[in-house]
């Protein structure tokens, strides 16, 4: 199974909003509301930002939001801050009970 | 607070075996799915395997199926990954992680442990 498709990079200025897409198929993203998003700073373990498409774990700022339309999920970061600069990964549950990650998107705060 | 601490990594030759362990604390281990996720140097995240809270449901990525075995001991609050027939492309940082149903929504991660497969 191929990885979910994410843009390699995204950028925005402080205070702006940026959206990162995650495209799969009807066998994964489109078929289940089990899309998660993770933030990873260099040398650190990933951190869960969004689960089940749009739910935020306790402690995650509401500047982070998730959505899904068809086979594409999206993570939007509003009010960009310097500390948001990191790699972001999406993941989805799949038809064969597996998990699939996206290739990752490097978010740069200009 | 939730803590996940991996151990057992290191350097191993191609074809060799290694057993990773993960000690969990700060939560009711037997209530949660647990996962192993890896990251090759400079690369993205790759799901490896997950196991249900009771240990009765287990799934593996195709890349490790038949070579890796996940298990857990709820009495010891521990998760394991037995890796055999290791290949150079298994070289990665391996993360132990706590997950929701079906390995989704992985909300706590260990610090990761490096496994290097090289001759």
């Amino acid at each position: 199974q191929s990885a979910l498709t994410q843009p390699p990079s995204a950028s925005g200025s402080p205070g702006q909003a940026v959206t990162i897409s995650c495209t799969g198929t009807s066998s994964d993203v489109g078929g289940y509301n089990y899309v998660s998003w993770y933030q990873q700073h260099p040398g650190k373990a990933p951190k869960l930002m969004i689960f089940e498409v749009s739910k935020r774990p306790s402690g995650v700022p509401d500047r982070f939001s998730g959505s899904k339309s068809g086979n594409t999920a999206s993570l939007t970061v509003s009010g960009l801050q310097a500390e948001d600069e990191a790699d972001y990964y999406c993941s989805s549950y799949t038809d064969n009970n597996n998990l699939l990650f996206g290739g990752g998107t490097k978010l740069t705060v200009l | 607070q939730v803590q996940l601490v991996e151990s057992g990594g290191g350097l191993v030759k191609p074809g060799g075996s290694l057993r990773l362990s993960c000690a969990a604390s700060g939560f009711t281990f037997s209530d949660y799915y647990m996962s192993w996720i890896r990251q090759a140097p400079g690369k993205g995240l790759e799901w490896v395997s997950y196991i249900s809270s009771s240990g009765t449901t287990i799934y593996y990525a195709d890349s490790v199926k038949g070579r890796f075995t996940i298990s857990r001991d709820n009495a010891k609050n521990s998760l394991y990954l037995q890796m055999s027939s290791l290949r150079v492309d298994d070289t990665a940082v391996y993360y132990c992680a706590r997950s929701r149903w079906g390995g989704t929504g992985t909300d706590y991660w260990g610090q990761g442990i490096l496994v290097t497969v090289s001759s």
Side-chain angles (χ1 to χ4, degrees):
Chain A
Q1 218 161 357
S2 300
L4 304 175
T5 300
Q6 295 182 237
S9 63
S11 63
S13 299
Q16 286 187 331
V18 64
T19 297
I20 298 170
S21 62
C22 170
T23 301
T25 69
S26 57
S27 296
D28 38 68
V29 174
Y32 303 91
N33 288 324
Y34 287 111
V35 175
S36 300
W37 288 91
Y38 301 90
Q39 176 192 66
Q40 187 179 34
H41 287 108
K44 301 292 188 182
K47 175 185 176 183
L48 179 67
M49 306 303 284
I50 296 287
F51 67 99
E52 293 176 16
V53 177
S54 60
K55 297 178 181 178
R56 265 189 318 275
S58 173
V60 172
D62 60 6
R63 302 185 294 104
F64 291 85
S65 62
S67 63
K68 189 183 85 167
S69 178
N71 296 337
T72 297
S74 298
L75 172 72
T76 297
V77 186
S78 305
L80 267 179
Q81 298 182 3
E83 61 261 35
D84 299 333
E85 185 162 296
D87 293 326
Y88 290 83
Y89 296 90
C90 63
S91 77
S92 175
Y93 187 76
T94 76
D95 266 358
N96 53 359
N97 306 112
N98 285 3
L99 272 295
L100 201 54
F101 279 95
T105 297
K106 183 176 180 61
L107 175 59
T108 301
V109 180
L110 302 170
Chain B
Q1 72 282 19
V2 173
Q3 278 200 309
L4 298 167
V5 180
E6 302 96 338
S7 60
L11 175 64
V12 61
K13 287 182 167 51
S17 298
L18 210 55
R19 188 194 196 208
L20 302 183
S21 298
C22 172
S25 60
F27 65 102
T28 304
F29 182 72
S30 58
D31 283 350
Y32 288 88
Y33 277 65
M34 296 295 295
S35 302
W36 288 100
I37 296 161
R38 69 184 181 183
Q39 188 169 33
K43 302 297 184 183
L45 300 173
E46 181 188 13
W47 169 74
V48 173
S49 178
Y50 69 77
I51 184 169
S52 63
S53 54
S54 64
T56 54
T57 298
I58 288 173
Y59 287 98
Y60 299 97
D62 288 345
S63 58
V64 307
K65 200 174 297 182
R67 300 188 300 121
F68 289 12
T69 302
I70 190 172
S71 62
R72 65 190 297 161
D73 185 335
N74 286 345
K76 294 183 177 179
N77 291 341
S78 293
L79 177 72
Y80 306 100
L81 186 68
Q82 178 68 47
M83 304 184 293
S84 60
S85 302
L86 282 161
R87 309 189 297 224
V88 171
D89 62 359
D90 291 320
T91 295
V93 171
Y94 285 73
Y95 292 100
C96 161
R98 188 182 88 169
S99 299
R100 287 176 164 77
W101 177 87
T104 65
T106 300
D107 58 359
Y108 284 94
W109 300 63
Q111 83 284 0
I113 193 155
L114 180 61
V115 171
T116 303
V117 184
S118 174
S119 55

